[in-house]
Amino acid sequence: MRFVLVTYGSRGDVEPMAGLAVRLRALGAEVRVCAPPDYADLLDDAGVPLTPLGWPIRALATGAIPGKEKAGLSDISAELTAMAYETVAEVAEGCAAVVATGSFPALAGTRNAAEKLGVPYVFTSFSPCYLPSAHHPPLRRPGQVIPPEVTDNRGLWDLHAENLETLFGETINTHRASIGLPPVSGVRDHVFTGHPFLAADPVLGPWQETPELDVRQTGAWIRPDTRPLPAGLEAFLAAGAKPVYVGFGSMLIRGANTQEVSRAVIEAVRAQGRRVLLGSGWADLALIDDADDCFAVGEVNQQALFGRVAAVVHHGGAGTTTTAARAGAPQVIVPQVADQPYWAGRVTELGIGTGHDGPTPTAESLSAALKIALAPETGARAAVVAETVRTDGAEQAAKLLLDMTGRSGSAG
């Protein structure tokens, strides 16, 4: 039995797919992942074949794609839809199912390919807040204006559907016509389907049942990471009290340059009497002096690291939030985009940390947030919640996929 896993997004979108791929292979399935070419090394380390999809994601995020510097959303969306379709169509014929997440235009192209090939398609969300429900509002897009008379969640989700229709409906249906498929109305529900997977931990990101969707929540898809920490980092950790880790992953911090953000976070941590561990990431955080209370690292094994720090300051991606929660590390989330405000809210509600007010930290604002995260009661609560976080989400999803496709031949 063969599965094709598809995502066009940052590391937070690719890492869970690698986790699912590893579990599917352990259960005897063949797996191929279609993802941005940036993550060839990650998937190679997981032992999973990669079919590159689209432009390098970091280059797209930073406006570094040659010839695309002035391209608008409609042009980028149309190309990405077509690229996802072509990539998936090349590798998915005859597979048991296509499992997809990530960028909406890429999802649309992936669903078109699955439909054209007659292959089951499974949409997956890593956060409950992306899925329509009367129990919570949708995320607001930048610049979106909400009519003052629309206040209930169902009305807000109707506007969300209309917004996606305006942004992507014509693009998606133009592509469908070009490959001989009929047009669809309601592109959001077409792409999300009525039976999505939710790969989020039930405690950290609970789903409330709703008649709108038949959601199958599996738990977060975690790939066990056994890599040792670098020798220099081990020496730094051993040289003093637990440091505060600050890193924003695949995020560019809005409203400030690298030097300003680096100085702000280091001063904030020092103000709490703590040592500083910087994760450089896409924000390119860097040391501001040669004091021995600071150390900078690149990409490391967060599963091994987060249990050895006093707190984790991060952007609020679903994967980083889950990893920190599993480790029992108090968190400060500095949300930038997408579902990150949701995770900041959940961390605050659970009492395992706090959300930072706004996307751009200053020394004063981050210091205030760190006082909450480093309080003894926050650490105690984080330790309690850590015991509840499930680690078998990828295994549950893999078994569910095998059961669904083996029993009925249809996953969507």
Side-chain angles (χ1 to χ4, degrees):
M1 189 171 287
R2 183 168 59 90
F3 293 88
V4 174
L5 313 184
V6 185
T7 185
Y8 189 76
S10 65
R11 186 185 183 97
D13 297 295
V14 179
E15 183 75 41
M17 287 301 208
L20 177 60
V22 168
R23 293 311 308 158
L24 282 168
R25 293 188 70 186
L27 294 172
E30 297 180 32
V31 186
R32 177 167 293 276
V33 174
C34 301
D38 315 52
Y39 300 105
D41 288 345
L42 185 159
L43 291 163
D44 185 61
D45 288 344
V48 180
L50 168 69
T51 295
L53 191 166
W55 306 287
I57 192 70
R58 184 171 185 177
L60 181 61
T62 57
I65 302 293
K68 302 299 178 187
E69 297 85 355
K70 297 182 179 180
L73 175 63
S74 60
D75 292 333
I76 293 293
S77 298
E79 288 196 57
L80 190 52
T81 298
M83 286 190 290
Y85 171 83
E86 292 162 5
T87 300
V88 176
E90 286 181 2
V91 298
E93 185 170 5
C95 72
V98 172
V99 183
T101 193
S103 160
F104 192 85
L107 282 166
T110 299
R111 169 124 212 211
N112 288 350
E115 184 177 344
K116 187 73 174 179
L117 295 172
V119 171
Y121 162 89
V122 179
F123 166 68
T124 297
S125 176
F126 298 141
S127 173
C129 64
Y130 284 125
L131 300 176
S133 170
H135 299 295
H136 59 253
L139 299 168
R140 287 197 181 189
R141 290 181 173 272
Q144 183 181 9
V145 177
I146 304 296
E149 67 273 13
V150 181
T151 57
D152 68 293
N153 289 336
R154 291 185 189 277
L156 291 170
W157 279 108
D158 289 343
L159 286 178
H160 178 265
E162 292 173 10
N163 188 38
L164 288 184
E165 195 73 24
T166 300
L167 290 172
F168 303 115
E170 183 178 355
T171 295
I172 291 169
N173 279 318
T174 297
H175 179 260
R176 288 177 64 84
S178 73
I179 59 174
L181 291 176
V184 294
S185 61
V187 292
R188 183 199 67 192
D189 295 342
H190 173 75
V191 168
F192 286 4
T193 78
H195 307 280
F197 278 15
L198 174 56
D201 183 78
V203 171
L204 299 179
W207 175 254
Q208 292 180 267
E209 294 297 330
T210 177
E212 288 88 350
L213 292 175
D214 174 23
V215 173
R216 288 161 275 196
Q217 185 165 18
T218 64
W221 298 350
I222 299 167
R223 178 174 67 101
D225 194 341
T226 59
R227 293 174 297 161
L229 297 177
L233 174 55
E234 285 283 8
F236 176 74
L237 292 170
K242 288 183 176 182
V244 171
Y245 173 87
V246 183
F248 301 111
S250 304
M251 284 290 114
L252 306 172
I253 304 303
R254 290 184 283 158
N257 63 35
T258 295
Q259 186 175 7
E260 290 172 343
V261 174
S262 298
R263 182 170 298 279
V265 300
I266 290 173
E267 289 179 353
V269 177
R270 283 174 168 169
Q272 302 305 309
R274 300 284 181 161
R275 300 193 302 153
V276 189
L277 178 57
L278 290 180
S280 54
W282 286 13
D284 292 325
L285 299 182
L287 303 178
I288 60 173
D289 55 39
D290 59 0
D292 62 5
D293 68 337
C294 294
F295 191 82
V297 295
E299 197 281 314
V300 296
N301 180 352
Q302 293 183 345
Q303 294 175 22
L305 175 63
F306 283 178
R308 301 174 65 183
V309 300
V312 177
V313 179
H314 64 101
H315 57 296
T320 308
T321 303
T322 303
T323 301
R326 281 182 63 205
Q331 306 181 49
V332 174
I333 293 182
V334 186
Q336 302 296 308
V337 295
D339 61 341
Q340 294 163 16
Y342 168 82
W343 292 112
R346 287 299 301 153
V347 161
T348 303
E349 291 166 12
L350 287 166
I352 61 175
T354 188
H356 179 270
D357 185 13
T360 309
T362 65
E364 294 76 17
S365 66
L366 186 56
S367 182
L370 276 169
K371 288 181 180 179
I372 297 172
L374 293 169
E377 59 269 24
T378 306
R381 177 63 180 158
V384 170
V385 171
E387 296 298 320
T388 71
V389 179
R390 290 176 53 176
T391 60
D392 64 345
E395 182 174 4
Q396 294 301 315
K399 290 179 178 178
L400 181 57
L401 284 167
L402 290 168
D403 181 54
M404 289 163 55
T405 54
R407 182 180 66 244
S408 65
S410 175

